[in-house]
């Protein structure tokens, strides 16, 4: 008989009076590595937190650590959402702060963060270099935490987890924000620690998994459903039959035929050059894919388009027909743009309701601070219904599962039918069905003439409307090309 490592009996959890986990029972035997899937909001993250002792629930969870193992008798849960703090222990940051170099000194460097973690856990720095190199993260040692992109923050979390090698490692959305090479190397590293005795639970719906993952389950109707292979049988509520709201069928009103024009743009932080001689032109109605490895400069490039980067004034940059710094404010620029990014999600107002969060897109604020006119309120109601958020509209955004939070912010992004839609990894946290549905929505929106800049590492999860690609490598433009996204994916 196999020895049980994790034993879960009759687990029950409710959220907003609604059952999430219902008499859930699950036995994880010693030596088993699992992939746990399921739709967004099915309870995957909650279950992981309960196993790790980070959340309470009714029922019984027993973990039988191996006292003879050289690995720490610990359950480490790596969240999909990373919260770091400044030197005073506060996490009160604002979105543009990442690009303001003087204020960036308020946080630890990556190296200092790793030194502190090593001291806390009693592990040696010489054991981490191999992991840093495999994830192409060694060059970020002197970077401030606030300067890192979402993919780079994910790498830092993974570096610490793989360095520690706990007896049970649970990773929520391990591939979020990672480029293809990093995903491949992560799988090799996970196989490596598994050989050393670490047991894995990966919470994801991805198919490219480490070879050490040999058990598969998903949460369906609050209970564990075990299968013999990676097959996701449960799906989100089908929304394909819903018709897009009428106000989004209208073509955007363009202020200029030239949306973005960068001429020999350079961005540096001290001696570190992030963007080098960038030349890029985006015209009204074009659909672009922006790609590059983690750290290639994609987020910095987008911060120039958004109007958020202070160094834009020192460069020859034209947005919506106007030279940057010719008198327009950051809010004048944002009126033309609908934006979603992991970083923006981090800094969004957690005290806003779902309805208020969507409505704030009219004013480009991180919360709603004024009364909405009747017609605009109707448009918010239409999007709430379209995205299947009616039952959540008065709940706090922060109380929803991460995938549904992302749907709310996606609705916020398109509420004003903008000239330019910037979608930076928009499907992070969405399940497969939601991802397909969202990209179909993007295709429909863009068929009406909207301009698109789309950042995506997973080429199988892209809208079909994309027609051009710009590829960055170490801060430089490596490729600009026309493409057929159906062939690419």
């Amino acid at each position: 008989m196999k020895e049980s490592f994790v034993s879960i009996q009759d687990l029950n959890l409710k959220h907003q009076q609604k059952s999430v986990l219902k008499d859930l029972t699950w036995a994880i035997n010693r030596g088993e590595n699992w992939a746990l899937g399921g739709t967004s909001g099915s309870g995957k993250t909650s279950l992981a937190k309960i196993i790790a002792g980070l959340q309470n629930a009714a029922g019984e969870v027993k973990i039988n650590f191996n006292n003879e193992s050289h690995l720490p008798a610990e359950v480490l849960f790596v969240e999909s959402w990373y919260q770091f703090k400044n030197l005073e222990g506060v996490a009160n940051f604002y979105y543009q702060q990442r690009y303001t170099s003087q204020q960036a000194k308020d946080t630890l460097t990556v190296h200092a963060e790793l030194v502190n973690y090593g001291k806390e856990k009693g592990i040696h720095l010489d054991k981490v270099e191999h992991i840093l190199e495999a994830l192409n993260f060694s060059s970020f040692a002197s970077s401030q935490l606030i300067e890192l992109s979402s993919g780079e923050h994910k790498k830092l979390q993974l570096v610490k987890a793989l360095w520690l090698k706990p007896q049970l490692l649970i990773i929520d959305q391990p591939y979020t924000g990672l480029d293809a090479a990093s995903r491949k190397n992560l799988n090799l590293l996970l196989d490596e620690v598994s050989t050393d005795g670490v047991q894995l639970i990966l919470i994801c719906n991805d198919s490219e998994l480490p070879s050490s993952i040999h058990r598969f389950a998903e949460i369906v109707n609050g209970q564990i459903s075990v299968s013999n292979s990676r097959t996701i049988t449960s799906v989100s509520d089908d929304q394909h039959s819903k018709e897009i709201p009428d106000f989004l069928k209208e073509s955007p009103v363009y202020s200029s035929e030239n949306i973005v024009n960068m001429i020999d743009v350079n961005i540096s932080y001290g001696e570190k050059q992030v963007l080098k001689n960038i030349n890029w032109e985006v015209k009204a109605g074009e659909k672009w894919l922006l790609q590059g490895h983690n750290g290639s400069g994609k987020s910095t490039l987008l911060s120039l388009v958004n109007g958020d980067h202070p160094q834009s004034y020192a460069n020859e940059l034209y947005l919506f027909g106007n030279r940057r710094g010719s008198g327009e404010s950051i809010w004048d620029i944002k009126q033309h743009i609908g934006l979603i990014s992991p970083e923006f999600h981090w800094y969004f107002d957690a005290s806003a309701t779902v309805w208020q969060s969507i409505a704030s897109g009219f004013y480009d604020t991180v919360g709603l601070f004024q009364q909405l006119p009747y017609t605009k309120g109707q448009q918010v109601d239409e999007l709430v219904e379209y995205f299947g958020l009616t039952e959540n509209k008065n709940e706090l955004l922060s109380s929803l599962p991460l995938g549904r939070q992302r749907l709310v912010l996606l609705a916020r992004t398109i509420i004003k039918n903008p000239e330019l839609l910037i979608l930076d990894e928009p499907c992070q946290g969405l399940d497969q069905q939601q991802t397909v549905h969202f990209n179909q929505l993007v295709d429909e929106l863009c068929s009406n003439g909207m301009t698109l800049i789309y950042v995506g590492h997973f080429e199988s999860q892209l809208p079909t409307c994309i027609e051009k690609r710009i590829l960055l490598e170490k801060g430089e433009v490596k490729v600009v090309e026309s493409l057929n996204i159906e062939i690419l994916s």
Side-chain angles (χ1 to χ4, degrees):
M1 185 176 178
K2 292 184 178 179
E3 184 183 3
S4 176
F5 179 34
V6 180
S7 177
I8 302 171
Q9 292 287 333
D10 299 324
L11 205 62
N12 285 275
L13 179 69
K14 287 188 174 182
H15 173 69
Q16 303 285 345
Q17 304 305 313
K18 182 180 178 181
S19 289
V20 178
L21 305 178
K22 309 172 190 176
D23 298 323
L24 183 144
T25 296
W26 191 17
I28 298 175
N29 295 317
R30 202 168 298 283
E32 291 182 342
N33 295 317
W34 289 79
L36 177 63
T39 62
S40 175
S42 60
K44 303 184 297 296
T45 299
S46 294
L47 177 58
K49 288 183 175 179
I50 292 166
I51 295 173
L54 302 173
Q55 185 170 333
N56 295 322
E60 184 179 68
V61 178
K62 287 185 178 179
I63 300 175
N64 302 310
F65 291 111
N66 182 358
N67 295 326
E68 297 179 0
S69 172
H70 65 286
L71 303 178
E74 185 175 335
V75 179
L76 179 63
F77 174 56
V78 178
E79 300 193 55
S80 62
W81 199 258
Y82 181 65
Q83 292 291 336
F84 59 93
K85 296 180 180 180
N86 65 12
L87 298 178
E88 297 177 352
V90 179
N92 185 25
F93 301 104
Y94 58 89
Y95 181 53
Q96 288 84 5
Q97 191 170 347
R98 179 183 170 200
Y99 307 109
T100 309
S101 56
Q102 288 182 329
Q103 290 166 311
K105 305 301 180 186
D106 191 36
T107 60
L108 290 173
T109 64
V110 168
H111 177 74
E113 176 78 2
L114 291 175
V115 168
N116 287 351
Y117 188 74
K119 288 179 180 178
E120 176 192 344
K121 297 295 185 180
I123 47 181
H124 298 290
L125 269 177
D126 59 356
K127 300 290 187 182
V128 78
E129 191 57 43
H130 159 62
I131 304 168
L132 292 170
E133 289 178 2
L135 291 177
N136 194 26
F137 203 57
S138 300
S139 61
F140 290 90
S142 61
S143 297
Q144 307 290 322
L145 296 184
I146 198 170
E147 293 175 328
L148 303 181
S149 69
S150 62
E152 291 153 7
H153 272 293
K154 191 69 178 185
K155 285 187 177 181
L156 179 56
Q157 289 177 277
L158 293 168
V159 165
K160 289 157 72 171
L162 294 163
W163 182 24
L164 177 64
K165 292 197 290 191
Q167 289 192 28
L168 179 58
L169 175 56
I170 308 174
I171 309 179
D172 196 354
Q173 306 300 331
Y175 308 106
T176 293
L178 300 186
D179 57 57
S182 297
R183 297 197 301 269
K184 181 179 179 181
N185 287 339
L186 172 60
N187 281 344
L188 294 175
L189 289 169
L190 289 170
D191 284 337
E192 193 176 287
V193 298
S194 173
T195 301
D196 205 24
V198 176
Q199 286 195 226
L200 303 170
I201 302 176
L202 304 185
I203 302 174
C204 63
N205 292 318
D206 300 278
S207 57
E208 299 176 12
L209 296 169
S211 58
S212 55
I213 297 293
H214 55 275
R215 299 302 311 273
F216 305 93
E218 59 179 324
I219 299 179
V220 182
N221 297 324
Q223 298 188 336
I224 287 288
S225 174
V226 177
S227 61
N228 294 323
S229 62
R230 162 97 302 181
T231 55
I232 302 301
T233 56
S234 59
V235 296
S236 306
D237 293 336
D238 187 6
Q239 301 179 37
H240 294 186
S241 59
K242 293 183 180 178
E243 188 175 355
I244 193 170
D246 287 340
F247 72 91
L248 290 176
K249 294 178 181 178
E250 301 173 5
S251 297
V253 178
Y254 282 107
S255 52
S256 171
E257 280 299 306
N258 294 310
I259 304 299
V260 178
N261 192 12
M262 297 183 182
I263 302 174
D264 294 328
V265 167
N266 290 275
I267 299 293
S268 297
Y269 303 119
E271 296 180 358
K272 182 180 179 181
Q273 191 163 7
V274 181
L275 293 179
K276 305 173 186 176
N277 301 320
I278 300 293
N279 290 278
W280 186 31
E281 186 176 16
V282 178
K283 294 188 175 182
E286 291 183 339
K287 285 79 176 170
W288 283 85
L289 175 64
L290 169 60
Q291 289 189 313
H293 293 306
N294 299 126
S296 61
K298 300 186 302 297
S299 295
T300 302
L301 187 69
L302 290 180
S303 72
L304 292 169
V305 179
N306 300 339
D308 288 321
H309 205 296
Q311 292 188 42
S312 60
Y313 298 104
N315 283 279
E316 189 171 355
L317 168 64
Y318 300 85
L319 299 176
F320 305 98
N322 296 314
R323 172 83 184 252
R324 191 73 173 97
S326 60
E328 83 293 349
S329 71
I330 187 174
W331 303 111
D332 292 330
I333 294 169
K334 290 183 181 297
Q335 284 178 3
H336 304 279
I337 299 171
L339 163 74
I340 183 66
S341 71
E343 292 83 5
F344 183 79
H345 194 166
W346 286 348
Y347 301 119
F348 200 79
D349 183 6
S351 67
T353 66
V354 167
W355 198 95
Q356 291 168 337
S357 299
I358 296 173
S360 69
F362 282 118
Y363 306 108
D364 305 302
T365 55
V366 292
L368 186 63
F369 307 108
Q370 54 189 293
Q371 189 72 27
L372 221 59
Y374 177 75
T375 54
K376 284 190 165 88
Q378 280 188 311
Q379 291 177 345
V380 175
D381 289 336
E382 288 182 58
L383 272 189
V384 165
E385 167 65 21
Y386 180 77
F387 278 100
L389 296 164
T390 302
E391 66 177 19
N392 308 116
K393 71 176 185 177
N394 295 318
E395 296 179 31
L396 292 181
L397 177 68
S398 57
S399 72
L400 300 185
L402 190 59
R404 293 190 79 75
Q405 289 186 38
R406 185 54 61 96
L407 284 180
V408 172
L409 293 184
L410 292 173
R412 178 194 180 277
T413 300
I414 62 176
I415 187 68
K416 60 184 178 184
N417 198 14
E419 297 168 55
L420 174 61
L421 198 58
I422 301 177
L423 303 177
D424 185 357
E425 295 283 353
C427 297
Q428 285 188 14
L430 302 188
D431 59 48
Q432 292 175 349
Q433 189 83 354
Q434 288 172 326
T435 296
V436 170
H437 174 239
F438 175 71
N439 282 329
Q440 288 176 342
L441 170 62
V442 173
D443 284 331
E444 192 166 354
L445 283 169
C446 289
S447 69
N448 297 322
M450 192 177 288
T451 308
L452 174 68
I453 300 175
Y454 195 109
V455 181
H457 289 299
F458 291 85
E459 293 181 342
S460 61
Q461 298 178 359
L462 299 173
T464 59
C465 66
I466 292 173
E467 57 194 16
K468 296 188 175 185
R469 179 172 79 128
I470 178 171
L471 175 66
L472 297 185
E473 187 174 299
K474 297 180 180 178
E476 297 182 275
V477 175
K478 187 72 174 178
V479 174
V480 175
E481 63 182 352
S482 298
L483 51 80
N484 183 332
I485 201 66
E486 292 179 343
I487 294 175
L488 180 67
S489 59

